[in-house]
Amino acid sequence: QVQLVESGGGSVQSGGSLRLSCAASGNLYSTYYMAWFRQAPGKEREGVAAIASDGWNTYADFVKGRFTISQDNAEDTLYLLMNSLKPEDTAMYYCAASGSPTTVQGVWPLGRYAYPYWGQGTQVTVSS
């Protein structure tokens, strides 16, 4: 089992920045991908960014150039630095962890079905 706890959300004005953190614990040895998802009211949960255990990463088109995903393996913490925030970035942001490399082979890393472990979320609100 893997436990995930997000923090760092808040309210900012358009153009501002926030850094989200996700503290992971439990059986992390076989985890291959870590990712950030978001869900706005009335919309489906969508993948924002994902990072593999070897450092490879990928981003959704709508955050490329603005958001940066990173991980501190020594601290078992995942980060999402969000710059140039827009009102449309307003959502609940969730941290997610996948299983072993075998379980995610051929699975799109920004698809929610790759991730059996989820945090409770942290709210990000961007005002214009």
Side-chain angles (χ1 to χ4, degrees):
Q1 291 294 320
V2 173
Q3 294 78 43
L4 304 168
V5 179
E6 303 95 335
S7 61
S11 297
V12 296
Q13 290 192 329
S14 182
S17 299
L18 282 174
R19 189 179 78 158
L20 306 183
S21 299
C22 172
S25 61
N27 183 14
L28 300 173
Y29 180 77
S30 61
T31 297
Y32 187 65
Y33 289 125
M34 297 285 292
W36 289 97
F37 284 74
R38 70 185 188 185
Q39 188 168 17
K43 295 188 176 181
E44 291 192 357
R45 193 169 297 189
E46 58 185 0
V48 175
I51 188 166
S53 57
D54 62 3
W56 176 88
N57 57 64
T58 189
Y59 296 88
D61 286 344
F62 51 80
V63 301
K64 280 182 180 177
R66 300 189 298 125
F67 291 10
T68 303
I69 190 170
S70 62
Q71 59 188 0
D72 183 334
N73 291 327
E75 297 292 331
D76 292 332
T77 302
L78 180 72
Y79 299 101
L80 184 69
L81 176 62
M82 305 185 295
N83 294 323
S84 302
L85 282 162
K86 305 175 182 179
E88 52 263 44
D89 293 319
T90 295
M92 185 72 79
Y93 282 71
Y94 298 90
C95 174
S98 80
S100 69
T102 302
T103 65
V104 297
Q105 192 173 13
V107 178
W108 184 42
L110 291 182
R112 58 185 300 179
Y113 300 106
Y115 300 91
Y117 306 110
W118 295 85
Q120 294 301 305
T122 185
Q123 178 68 38
V124 172
T125 302
V126 185
S127 58
S128 57

